[in-house]
Amino acid sequence: MTAAPPPLTESDVTYALRAAGCVFAEDEARLLVRGAESPDHLAAMVARRVEGTPLELILGWTAFCGLRIETDPGVFVPRQRTEFLVARALDLMPERAVVVDLCCGTGAVGAALVHSRPDIELHASDIMPASFACASRNLSGLGTVYLGDLFAALPSSLRRRVDILVVNAPYVPTEAIGMLPPEARDFEPLVALDGGDDGLDFHRRIAAEASEWLAPGGSLLIETSVPQSPLTAALFSRAGLAARIEHSGELDATIVVASA
């Protein structure tokens, strides 16, 4: 009878991940070992990671703004660069603000905002049922989540009442989807990535309606890229909002802030 192989050690896992090309092999190995329920479970998780499954989907969570955000298959995983969007929204947020997290995905942005500012009234929406379910768990007791297409998902009672509107809508140009890392291209839904021919389809739609929802003096903050940012800003300027571009070199993040 063949003896069972010995359980994987953290060093074994690190070696396997490094050989598979994982840049942060040591950190990932530590998380996998801590998250394993048994030696067999650890071996299965390592096999999935070596095959290319994103770490966040294997663990079932990701770290964002110091929080543990639950992740599900078929839901966009929040990126570290989006923490810049959160930081700037907090800088602009008045007391007892009405906040909307549009295209919320996991609900990570809204969760980070309400944990920093528990006085806010939080609303979030997404068009995908999987995202709605995931965000509903992450925002349970923190805010209200709606299922629907952009502003159509929101109750009409929010019109002209939104102090802070945060948006991380898809902005990858269609032809650039194939150049994304496999973890995004192969495991995240196309609808959460594809922004149309120039990546700005959703930005146009949001710019066309945003002023109907913002309160006087309210601000919209939307994530974009460096080359797209002048075009995104121009969309909101033409919609009658005062738009500016802000960038974080540390997080390699770019946003447009548009104020009523």
Side-chain angles (χ1 to χ4, degrees):
M1 184 174 180
T2 304
L8 293 173
T9 66
E10 188 171 313
S11 294
D12 294 332
V13 176
T14 299
Y15 179 82
L17 298 184
R18 189 180 292 120
C22 297
V23 176
F24 303 104
E26 292 83 359
D27 294 335
E28 293 193 14
R30 190 176 306 111
L31 290 170
L32 289 171
V33 169
R34 290 177 179 175
E37 298 174 358
S38 68
D40 287 344
H41 185 213
L42 176 60
M45 290 196 297
V46 172
R48 291 179 65 197
R49 186 68 185 111
V50 167
E51 291 168 358
T53 303
L55 179 69
E56 297 85 358
L57 297 185
I58 297 171
L59 296 175
W61 62 272
T62 189
F64 184 79
C65 289
L67 303 176
R68 181 176 288 202
I69 300 296
E70 292 187 25
T71 56
D72 287 344
V75 180
F76 182 82
V77 175
R79 310 315 200 233
Q80 185 180 12
R81 63 175 174 265
T82 307
E83 294 185 1
F84 181 56
L85 183 74
V86 172
R88 292 299 294 122
L90 289 171
D91 290 340
L92 296 170
M93 193 174 294
E95 292 184 2
R96 294 182 294 279
V98 175
V99 178
V100 170
D101 180 3
L102 208 61
C103 303
C104 68
T106 62
V109 171
L113 292 173
V114 78
H115 272 91
S116 293
R117 288 288 301 275
D119 62 307
I120 69 173
E121 176 186 329
L122 177 65
H123 302 265
S125 71
D126 201 283
I127 194 172
M128 296 193 303
S131 297
F132 170 79
C134 187
S136 294
R137 296 198 312 275
N138 284 317
L139 296 177
S140 177
L142 302 177
T144 305
V145 184
Y146 309 93
L147 176 64
D149 185 15
L150 298 180
F151 296 105
L154 303 177
S156 59
S157 59
L158 287 176
R159 287 182 181 272
R160 312 284 185 185
R161 290 188 56 231
V162 179
D163 297 300
I164 297 290
L165 174 60
V166 287
V167 190
N168 189 11
Y171 59 88
V172 180
T174 301
E175 65 177 12
I177 296 292
M179 294 181 285
L180 291 174
E183 292 181 354
R185 185 181 68 235
D186 298 339
F187 290 92
E188 292 183 321
L190 186 61
V191 69
L193 302 170
D194 192 345
D197 288 346
D198 62 357
L200 300 177
D201 283 1
F202 289 93
H203 292 197
R204 291 186 183 89
R205 294 179 58 198
I206 292 163
E209 293 190 56
S211 61
E212 300 176 18
W213 296 86
L214 289 175
S219 295
L220 177 150
L221 302 91
I222 187 166
E223 187 172 297
T224 186
S225 69
V226 170
Q228 291 167 309
S229 58
L231 301 174
T232 298
L235 289 173
F236 289 98
S237 294
R238 287 196 294 269
L241 302 175
R244 65 182 184 275
I245 300 167
E246 299 193 14
H247 182 76
S248 167
E250 179 183 359
L251 293 173
D252 191 24
T254 303
I255 64 172
V256 167
V257 180
S259 301

